[in-house]
């Protein structure tokens, strides 16, 4: 007997606005409206990422203005209060004017960038508001392509992601530029360079501090380890005093452990310190950066594709899926899906339906199940057709056993 469970309709949710759901037409079928509402609950990342990128650009432009204006005001004060000759004062003021002109160009460029990012936020809002029951199929297709591009970007398939986005005309709906920004840091870490990652930490210092991130500390530790590996101990000590000592109040134990490598060195066989010199430490830094990057932009830590697949698999997962005679039509009959669903709980099912192994049709009171002498169950329609074609003989498709149609017993569904 093959059982195929009915999902409850549960899905992963995220705390996002579902204002676009209000734009759905009231004449649409309730089932489609409900489906649309569930879709919109999962669009948190779709709106959050461009908004965070927009805010980051505004903050960067603000910092540039503050820095440049501080220098200009200080320069004017020096000219006004200093005992300078007329020519020197004019030359000094001219240099400040050139600096202000440079600031103007930077602000014009920054303004264009802000405008483009604001347009992207608006395009995404419009896309969500355009969703209704009539164009649900087309809208869902676009959504699927967005999810695939997100997966490709996270897996570092940048060229493929860009080609799919361009061919599908969804460049405004995906975050290629954001991931390309992360790519520079990831490539550098894979090449055992920490400078771009440290620059990224400095650029986002306030937000990383607010989230109590220790990523910068881990980068500093790795840089110290590389100095010890190169047996440049004096430089390592100087580096530790300047960059690691400020972290002592909050990360003393880790700091003490790393400082001990000065005595053990990179050739040590002591497991506690040997692990610090292993190449996998760089892989750990890459993974940690990806997590910090996702948190910064409000992204899910897992690819959206995995989340959606797990949401669907959690509704389909039952103990029967892991039996040897699980139907090949069940997604969980495939090893890759079983692996993805492994940490998920079994689905809570209130109702089940019986599906015939032969015809794949529902077995109910109109097409009741019949039990063969070997215990396998098939639909009345399937066995009657088989008996007609084989002079009353029935062959069990699973075991190959042959029976007379008169031997089957009717099963009753309670």
């Amino acid at each position: 007997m093959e059982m195929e469970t009915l999902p409850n309709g549960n899905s992963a949710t995220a705390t996002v606005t579902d204002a676009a759901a209000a734009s759905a037409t009231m004449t649409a079928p309730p089932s489609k409206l409900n489906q649309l509402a569930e879709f919109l609950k999962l669009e948190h990342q779709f709106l959050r990422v461009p908004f965070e990128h927009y805010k980051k650009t505004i903050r960067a432009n603000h910092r540039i203005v503050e820095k440049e204006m501080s220098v200009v005001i200080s320069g004017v004060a020096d000219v006004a209060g200093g005992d300078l000759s007329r020519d020197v004062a004019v030359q000094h003021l001219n240099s400040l004017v050139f600096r202000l002109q440079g600031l103007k160009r930077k602000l014009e460029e920054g303004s264009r960038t802000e405008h483009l990012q604001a347009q992207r936020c608006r395009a995404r809002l419009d896309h969500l508001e355009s969703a209704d029951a009539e164009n649900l199929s087309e809208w869902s297709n676009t959504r699927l392509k967005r999810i695939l591009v997100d997966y490709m970007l996270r897996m570092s398939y940048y060229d493929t992601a860009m080609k799919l986005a361009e061919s599908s005309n969804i460049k405004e709906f995906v975050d290629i530029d954001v991931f390309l920004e992360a790519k520079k840091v990831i490539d550098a870490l894979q090449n055992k360079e920490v400078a771009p990652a440290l620059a990224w930490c400095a650029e986002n210092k306030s937000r990383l501090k607010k989230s109590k991130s220790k990523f910068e500390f881990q980068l500093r530790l790795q840089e110290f380890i590389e100095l010890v590996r190169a047996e440049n101990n004096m430089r390592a000590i100087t580096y530790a005093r300047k960059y690691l000592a400020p972290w002592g109040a909050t990360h003393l134990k880790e700091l003490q452990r790393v400082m001990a490598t000065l005595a053990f060195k990179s050739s040590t066989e002591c497991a506690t310190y040997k692990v610090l010199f292993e190449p996998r430490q760089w892989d750990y830094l890459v993974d940690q950066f990806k997590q910090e990057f996702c948190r910064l932009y409000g992204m899910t830590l897992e690819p959206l594709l995995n989340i959606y697949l797990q949401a669907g698999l959690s509704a389909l997962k039952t103990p029967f899926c892991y039996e040897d005679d699980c139907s090949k039509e069940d997604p969980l009959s495939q090893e890759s899906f079983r692996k993805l669903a492994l940490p998920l709980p079994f689905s809570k099912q209130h109702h089940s339906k019986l599906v015939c192994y032969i015809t794949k049709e529902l077995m109910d009171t109109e097409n009741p199940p019949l039990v063969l002498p070997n215990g396998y169950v098939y639909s009345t329609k399937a066995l009657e057709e088989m008996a007609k074609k084989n002079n009353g003989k029935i062959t069990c498709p699973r075991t190959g056993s042959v029976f007379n149609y008169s031997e089957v017993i009717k099963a009753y569904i309670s």
Side-chain angles (χ1 to χ4, degrees), residues 53 56-57 117 158 175-187 196 200 203-204 289 293 296-297:
H53 203 203
K56 181 181 177 182
T57 303
Q117 292 175 353
Y158 301 103
D175 306 303
I176 294 175
D177 52 343
V178 175
F179 278 96
L180 289 177
E181 175 189 322
K183 181 179 182 295
K184 298 175 184 176
V185 178
I186 293 171
D187 289 346
W200 182 83
E203 187 179 350
N204 301 281
F289 168 73
F293 185 82
L296 195 70
Y297 280 101

Side-chain angles (χ1 to χ4, degrees), residues 78-97:
D78 290 342
V79 172
D83 187 15
L84 302 174
S85 66
R86 183 177 181 279
D87 291 340
V88 173
V90 170
Q91 185 180 0
H92 192 65
L93 289 173
N94 282 335
S95 68
L96 294 179
V97 170

Side-chain angles (χ1 to χ4, degrees), residues 279-298:
R280 66 180 179 180
Q281 291 297 320
W282 289 99
D283 296 331
Y284 169 72
L285 287 175
V286 170
D287 291 338
Q288 193 172 4
F289 168 73
K290 288 179 179 179
Q291 291 181 19
E292 295 292 347
F293 185 82
C294 289
R295 289 193 189 100
L296 195 70
Y297 280 101

Side-chain angles (χ1 to χ4, degrees), residues 313-334:
L313 292 174
S314 67
L316 297 174
K317 184 179 176 183
T318 64
F320 177 77
C321 297
Y322 290 86
E323 295 182 7
D324 294 335
D325 57 348
C326 174
S327 170
K328 298 302 179 184
E329 295 182 354
D330 188 336
L332 284 161
S333 65
Q334 300 180 35

Side-chain angles (χ1 to χ4, degrees), residues 29-315:
S31 59
K32 284 194 173 183
L33 289 176
N34 292 338
Q35 186 181 7
L36 182 59
E38 290 300 315
F39 283 167
L40 294 175
K41 288 180 181 179
L42 302 172
E43 296 298 343
H44 175 74
Q45 177 176 314
F46 183 62
L47 293 177
R48 176 77 183 274
V49 175
F51 180 65
E52 289 296 335
H53 203 203
Y54 184 33
K55 288 200 304 181
K56 181 181 177 182
T57 303
I58 293 174
R59 286 194 298 268
N61 291 336
H62 182 67
R63 282 196 297 267
I64 291 172
V65 172
E66 282 189 331
K67 180 181 177 182
E68 294 296 323
M69 290 306 298
S70 176
V71 172
V72 170
I73 292 171
S74 177
V76 172
D78 290 342
V79 172
D83 187 15
L84 302 174
S85 66
R86 183 177 181 279
D87 291 340
V88 173
V90 170
Q91 185 180 0
H92 192 65
L93 289 173
N94 282 335
S95 68
L96 294 179
V97 170
F98 290 140
R99 189 153 194 157
L100 286 173
Q101 289 173 341
L103 174 61
K104 181 183 177 183
R105 287 192 295 271
K106 288 180 182 178
L107 289 179
E108 287 174 348
E109 183 181 346
S111 178
R112 285 193 294 271
T113 304
E114 286 182 20
H115 181 66
L116 289 173
Q117 292 175 353
Q119 280 186 324
R120 178 169 295 179
C121 292
R122 169 50 58 190
R124 297 193 181 195
L125 283 170
D126 292 343
H127 177 65
L128 291 183
E129 290 176 351
S130 69
D132 55 40
E134 280 69 29
N135 70 346
L136 185 58
S137 177
E138 181 183 351
W139 192 86
S140 298
N141 187 44
T142 300
R143 181 164 164 266
L144 175 60
K145 290 175 181 177
R146 289 196 280 114
I147 293 170
L148 291 174
V149 170
D150 173 82
Y151 181 80
M152 293 172 187
L153 291 171
R154 290 174 186 260
M155 297 295 109
S156 301
Y157 303 134
Y158 301 103
D159 293 339
T160 307
M162 283 188 280
K163 287 178 181 178
L164 177 58
E166 289 171 0
S167 63
S168 305
N169 197 26
I170 57 171
K171 289 186 70 175
E172 287 189 322
F173 301 153
V174 293
D175 306 303
I176 294 175
D177 52 343
V178 175
F179 278 96
L180 289 177
E181 175 189 322
K183 181 179 182 295
K184 298 175 184 176
V185 178
I186 293 171
D187 289 346
L189 290 174
Q190 289 174 341
N191 291 326
K192 301 183 179 180
E193 300 172 8
V194 299
L198 288 172
W200 182 83
C201 289
E203 187 179 350
N204 301 281
K205 187 174 182 178
S206 60
R207 300 197 63 195
L208 292 174
K209 184 178 181 180
K210 188 182 293 185
S211 65
K212 298 180 179 180
S213 168
K214 53 187 287 188
F215 179 55
E216 183 181 353
F217 177 62
Q218 296 293 345
L219 291 171
R220 296 294 185 187
L221 290 183
Q222 191 61 40
E223 205 163 24
F224 176 83
I225 288 293
E226 294 306 315
L227 291 172
V228 175
R229 190 197 306 274
E231 299 184 357
N232 198 338
N233 289 356
M234 290 306 298
R235 190 178 167 192
I237 293 170
T238 303
Y239 183 89
R241 287 173 177 168
K242 183 176 181 180
Y243 296 110
L244 295 181
W247 297 86
T250 53
H251 300 86
L252 184 59
K253 288 186 177 180
E254 293 170 89
L255 189 55
Q256 289 174 334
R257 180 189 176 203
V258 171
M259 291 301 295
T261 57
L262 289 167
F264 284 88
K265 299 185 178 181
S266 60
S267 58
T268 182
E269 290 300 320
C270 180
T272 304
Y273 304 103
K274 183 179 180 180
V275 67
L276 296 174
F277 293 98
E278 293 181 354
R280 66 180 179 180
Q281 291 297 320
W282 289 99
D283 296 331
Y284 169 72
L285 287 175
V286 170
D287 291 338
Q288 193 172 4
F289 168 73
K290 288 179 179 179
Q291 291 181 19
E292 295 292 347
F293 185 82
C294 289
R295 289 193 189 100
L296 195 70
Y297 280 101
M299 298 180 185
T300 58
L301 298 182
E302 283 281 321
L304 289 174
L305 183 62
N306 286 6
I307 293 173
Y308 282 104
L309 283 173
Q310 286 180 329
L313 292 174
S314 67

